[in-house]
Amino acid sequence: MLPFRIGYGYDTHRLVEGRRLVIGGVEIPHEKGLLGHSDADLLLHCICDALLGALNLRDIGFHFPDTDPRYKGVDSQILLRDTYQLVRARGYVIGNIDSTVIAERPKLNPHIPRMQEIIASILETTPENISIKATTHEKTDAAGREESMVAQAVVLIVSESFGK
Ligand code: MG
């Protein structure tokens, strides 16, 4: 078993009126929200995909299909918790995560410390291991026109026996 494995995740959701905006487990006041079968928390989704990728366990849609009524409106923190159980079951813990959310508006920076706390607590690590960066697409393409948001993450998972 390798002591370290890396994973990469990507997600995008459409921005529409009449939906809550939930990113990194934090509900952010905004006139639009992300459309999806779940709460459409794209940051948590791409972290799930990165963790699954690190373990070569397919993707979030494979484990939590959007055709399954159990996941309708589900809090994505539950999906992240379930994904983390797969990591633990294989003898790994979180090394660190680096992520970026691409959103033209609203400003995400004030909410990032709370997102780091939420994600770190689910993944049994500390906020210093959870990097979240925010950027815009400079008014170009769908994200730049506020039609969608995008998130990407890389993770390093570490064998729990490493260094012992
Ligand atoms: Mg998604």
Side-chain angles (χ1 to χ4, degrees), residues 11-13 38 40-42 45-46 60:
D11 196 25
T12 184
H13 281 261
S38 66
D41 188 329
L42 78 180
H45 292 179
C46 80
I60 190 172

Side-chain angles (χ1 to χ4, degrees), residues 1-9 46-58 87 92-98 153-159:
M1 187 167 92
L2 285 171
F4 302 103
R5 293 181 70 101
I6 63 161
Y8 161 75
C46 80
I47 291 172
C48 287
D49 253 359
L51 292 169
L52 293 170
L55 296 163
N56 196 359
L57 285 178
R58 308 283 300 265
V87 174
Y92 286 92
V93 295
I94 302 300
N96 71 302
I97 295 178
D98 186 20
V154 290
V155 307
L156 184 73
I157 56 173
V158 182
S159 166

Side-chain angles (χ1 to χ4, degrees), residues 15-70:
L15 261 178
V16 296
E17 282 171 14
R19 288 272 302 184
R20 297 183 308 141
L21 179 62
V22 182
I23 303 178
V26 177
E27 184 164 347
I28 299 170
H30 193 49
E31 71 266 22
K32 288 180 177 180
L34 294 166
L35 184 63
H37 186 67
S38 66
D39 62 7
D41 188 329
L42 78 180
L43 178 56
L44 298 193
H45 292 179
C46 80
I47 291 172
C48 287
D49 253 359
L51 292 169
L52 293 170
L55 296 163
N56 196 359
L57 285 178
R58 308 283 300 265
D59 54 51
I60 190 172
F62 181 83
H63 291 272
F64 312 108
D66 65 6
T67 50
D68 189 331
R70 273 183 304 168

Side-chain angles (χ1 to χ4, degrees), residues 53-129:
L55 296 163
N56 196 359
L57 285 178
R58 308 283 300 265
D59 54 51
I60 190 172
F62 181 83
H63 291 272
F64 312 108
D66 65 6
T67 50
D68 189 331
R70 273 183 304 168
Y71 302 122
K72 184 162 170 53
V74 73
D75 181 336
S76 295
Q77 294 182 51
I78 291 166
L79 306 184
L80 184 60
R81 196 162 285 134
D82 288 357
T83 301
Y84 179 60
Q85 291 315 312
L86 299 173
V87 174
R88 295 296 298 125
R90 281 156 183 80
Y92 286 92
V93 295
I94 302 300
N96 71 302
I97 295 178
D98 186 20
S99 64
T100 299
V101 181
I102 299 155
E104 207 64 27
R105 281 191 322 125
K107 284 256 175 282
L108 302 182
N109 272 316
H111 305 286
I112 285 178
R114 183 72 193 120
M115 296 178 193
Q116 289 173 302
E117 278 173 21
I118 290 169
I119 294 166
S121 132
I122 294 169
L123 299 179
E124 298 181 311
T125 185
T126 55
E128 69 177 11
N129 291 325

